[in-house]
Amino acid sequence: MSGRRRHLAIAASFSIAAVVLTACGGASAEDEENVQLRFTWWGGDSRHDYTQEIIDEFQEEYPHIQVSPEFGEWSGYWDQLATQGAAQDLPDVIQMELRYMREYISSEQFLPLDDVPVEDHDSAVVEAGMIDGELYGIPTGSTVPSIVANRAVFEEAGVDFPDDETWTWEQFHEIAREISENSEAVGLARPPGDFGFEVWLRQHADTNIVTEDGDIGYTAEESVPYFEMISEMSDSGAMSSPAQSVEDRGGSLEQSLVVNGGAAMHVEWDTVIMQLSGGQVSDLEPLRFPTATGSSNGAELFYKPTMFYSASATSDHPEEAQMLIDYLVNSEEGGTLTRIDRGIPGNEKIREAILPELDEGAQQIVDFQNEIAAEVAPIPPVPPVGYGAVQDIIYRFEEEVLFERMSPEEAAEAMAAEIESAIS
């Protein structure tokens, strides 16, 4: 059955009731109460454009439901959402990220999504949206930490494209330095950031940023070599200048250094390539992370739910909010327009339907995830309340080291203490 004809069970019961009433001279479907939903998400221009197309098709299917879009860049999204949550004014449907899930669930701001069908979704992916036995977020798909590489920059610099099954962190540094020396581009756009640090920590200290119990999972001493590494890459010119790194991190995805040829490599989730490239085929390719051992079996990569769709517990229209979520994740129309921008679809039927239609760039990401399937490690623990601050904490201490305001030892000690305080 086409996604366009898919309804929630409760919506189907309303339709049947409407037919019965019409036969008896009662109200028709045209008399359904008009409903206004607010839907918020983050992303680049290409995501905004196709999401509006999905909204248009949803409204054509359900003309009594009007959806008001609210979207923006990642950098301001969470502050805006926190402000709305504090005012009990969350949008009806919310694009959500794993690190913030517990905060909204613990404060009872999300609705259990009992009416969104998930039987066609991979159960392991669905479970990522469940806390205490309730489903609060429908995963949009899966993504993997990667090194996004611009092949054209390598070619212009005359540097061989790396073998990502065998390269080490030392080779990664050397390759980035060669790019910087042989071209006007830099090797690495900016330091790895939060999930890059997570992968590095898993490889070098066999641990995660947090434990299953929600405590900090590493010692300050274990992170000192990480800060030493980014300091050395900055000093050698392998990475962009501290000021340029900060600017690149704060800018739009489509204008980032790795997109415009100003950098050869960029640490990012693999599916974000679709946003980086504006949804087009490009020279950008996902690579495995370098490893401490020179073997891709030790890369410690993991499949992560890209993002979720959640519904506000204060929504005046919880049934219709779930109908919109259902359409986003379970309709062929939604899947065809989204493709893999929000991850490799969790709905297996949608995934099978869109794979033959994917362009070269999108197919490359699917191939990458299939290629590393035998190597992936377990996903890190579900983040505790307060983890939403961790990304900015890591960014800030990376910058403290790059601008030489702190030594690696000082930054490691202060960062661990601040992360521990944030999640306590």
Side-chain angles (χ1 to χ4, degrees):
M1 180 180 293
S2 159
R4 180 174 286 279
R5 299 295 172 229
R6 179 182 293 274
H7 294 268
L8 295 173
I10 191 163
S13 68
F14 286 157
S15 299
I16 294 169
V19 172
V20 172
L21 287 171
T22 301
C24 298
S28 70
E30 294 179 355
D31 296 322
E32 288 184 280
E33 178 187 359
N34 288 331
V35 168
Q36 187 78 33
L37 296 179
R38 294 160 56 210
F39 173 26
T40 188
W41 70 89
W42 73 84
D45 292 341
S46 61
R47 177 177 295 170
H48 303 334
D49 291 343
Y50 78 71
T51 303
Q52 185 60 60
E53 289 186 59
I54 296 173
I55 289 172
D56 292 342
E57 293 199 359
F58 174 78
Q59 291 177 153
E60 184 179 342
E61 177 74 8
Y62 302 102
H64 69 291
I65 304 175
Q66 295 299 304
V67 180
S68 298
E70 301 177 11
F71 55 83
E73 293 286 344
W74 168 273
S75 57
Y77 184 83
W78 301 105
D79 287 342
Q80 174 69 19
L81 203 65
T83 299
Q84 292 171 328
Q88 295 293 300
D89 187 37
L90 284 175
D92 301 271
V93 175
I94 302 156
Q95 184 174 289
M96 178 51 48
E97 217 278 343
L98 185 61
R99 76 193 74 181
Y100 296 98
M101 285 280 285
R102 280 193 186 274
E103 296 187 26
Y104 287 88
I105 294 168
S106 66
S107 56
E108 300 183 343
Q109 296 192 71
F110 281 174
L111 180 77
L113 302 175
D114 298 329
D115 294 327
V116 181
V118 293
E119 62 269 15
D120 293 329
H121 292 246
D122 184 285
S123 60
V125 178
V126 171
E127 286 172 7
M130 299 186 71
I131 294 179
D132 298 330
E134 295 278 10
L135 183 62
Y136 290 100
I138 307 296
T140 62
S142 62
T143 190
V144 175
S146 71
I147 305 293
V148 175
N150 188 324
R151 184 177 285 271
V153 175
F154 279 86
E155 293 173 353
E156 290 168 8
V159 176
D160 290 340
F161 207 64
D163 177 359
D164 68 339
E165 292 189 64
T166 62
W167 65 340
T168 64
W169 287 96
E170 290 77 12
Q171 290 170 332
F172 173 67
H173 183 171
E174 180 60 21
I175 289 169
R177 187 188 61 77
E178 287 183 25
I179 293 284
S180 298
E181 287 184 354
N182 296 347
S183 70
E184 295 182 1
V186 294
L188 181 63
R190 59 185 192 239
D194 56 328
F195 63 87
F197 173 62
E198 179 102 66
V199 171
W200 185 93
L201 197 61
R202 286 158 67 97
Q203 289 186 18
H204 292 81
D206 192 26
T207 190
N208 293 290
I209 295 175
V210 297
T211 67
E212 294 284 355
D213 296 328
D215 300 319
I216 190 166
Y218 74 97
T219 65
E221 291 76 16
E222 287 171 330
S223 66
V224 171
Y226 173 79
F227 285 111
E228 291 175 338
M229 177 189 72
I230 65 171
S231 177
E232 291 167 2
M233 291 191 73
S234 180
D235 290 344
S236 72
M239 187 164 58
S240 62
S241 69
Q244 198 174 26
S245 292
V246 172
E247 182 180 354
D248 190 60
R249 181 170 273 164
S252 69
L253 289 170
E254 289 91 347
Q255 299 301 316
S256 60
L257 288 171
V258 76
V259 173
N260 63 30
M265 294 178 288
H266 170 110
V267 176
E268 193 53 89
W269 299 102
D270 65 340
T271 52
V272 175
I273 288 177
M274 301 309 295
Q275 290 184 70
L276 288 166
S277 64
Q280 304 300 314
V281 176
S282 69
D283 291 316
L284 303 181
E285 301 180 25
L287 300 175
R288 297 170 175 86
F289 268 60
T291 65
T293 62
S295 169
S296 58
N297 288 321
E300 288 294 329
L301 304 182
F302 51 89
Y303 292 127
K304 169 188 169 293
T306 318
M307 56 196 73
F308 302 83
Y309 291 122
S310 296
S312 169
T314 59
S315 173
D316 292 332
H317 307 288
E319 293 160 4
E320 289 82 0
Q322 292 181 81
M323 288 169 68
L324 175 57
I325 293 175
D326 176 45
Y327 195 86
L328 289 163
V329 299
N330 290 325
S331 72
E332 277 194 33
E333 291 80 1
T336 299
L337 287 166
T338 304
R339 297 188 297 167
I340 64 167
D341 175 62
R342 286 179 163 107
I344 308 298
N347 182 314
E348 295 177 6
K349 291 184 177 179
I350 300 302
R351 186 164 62 241
E352 291 173 3
I354 69 168
L355 284 180
E357 307 301 322
L358 293 179
D359 60 29
E360 181 183 346
Q363 187 62 55
Q364 182 175 249
I365 298 170
V366 174
D367 292 343
F368 175 70
Q369 290 206 15
N370 289 337
E371 185 179 332
I372 67 169
E375 305 164 3
V376 293
I379 187 173
V382 175
V385 173
Y387 196 84
V390 170
Q391 180 186 65
D392 286 340
I393 292 171
I394 293 173
Y395 285 178
R396 181 155 38 82
F397 283 104
E398 286 178 335
E399 291 168 14
E400 291 296 305
V401 170
L402 295 181
F403 282 101
E404 299 182 348
R405 294 189 290 253
M406 281 186 169
S407 68
E409 292 79 10
E410 291 169 336
E413 191 69 38
M415 187 175 81
E418 197 162 328
I419 290 175
E420 189 167 20
S421 177
I423 63 177
S424 297

